[in-house]
Amino acid sequence: MAHWVFFIVDSSAPLTYLSTQASELLGIPEDIPTPVKIAGHHHTVFMSPHKSHFSNLNILGVDFCNAYHVNTWRDYRNQKAKLYFGRQ
């Protein structure tokens, strides 16, 4: 079953994490890398550690961005951002 999950792109996070709430909803156990599909791409994620400062956030890490050649476009003046997948 598919679910919408919103991520924060964190260029300093080495791994991709799902919040404890999203992980529990999807049946992802703590401390076990679990394969999921993000934006149509297969990727391994981890549950955010319960006692971490980001346990309530979904973090899209560098591992995903490197694997799928994610590029960002930002327009600060108009408060817009886009992610592009694939080589550009």
Side-chain angles (χ1 to χ4, degrees), residues 14 23 43:
S23 295
H43 194 71

Side-chain angles (χ1 to χ4, degrees), residues 3-59:
H3 294 277
W4 280 93
V5 176
F6 295 90
F7 287 89
I8 292 175
V9 178
D10 186 345
S11 61
S12 66
L15 300 173
T16 296
Y17 293 95
L18 289 178
S19 69
T20 52
Q21 181 182 15
S23 295
E24 289 169 0
L25 173 71
L26 299 171
I28 295 173
E30 191 171 10
D31 298 327
I32 298 176
T34 306
V36 298
K37 194 181 277 191
I38 300 172
H41 302 281
H42 294 280
H43 194 71
T44 300
V45 299
F46 295 84
M47 175 192 277
S48 297
H50 285 287
K51 295 183 180 182
S52 71
H53 63 280
F54 59 94
S55 64
N56 62 337
L57 300 174
N58 301 304
I59 305 289

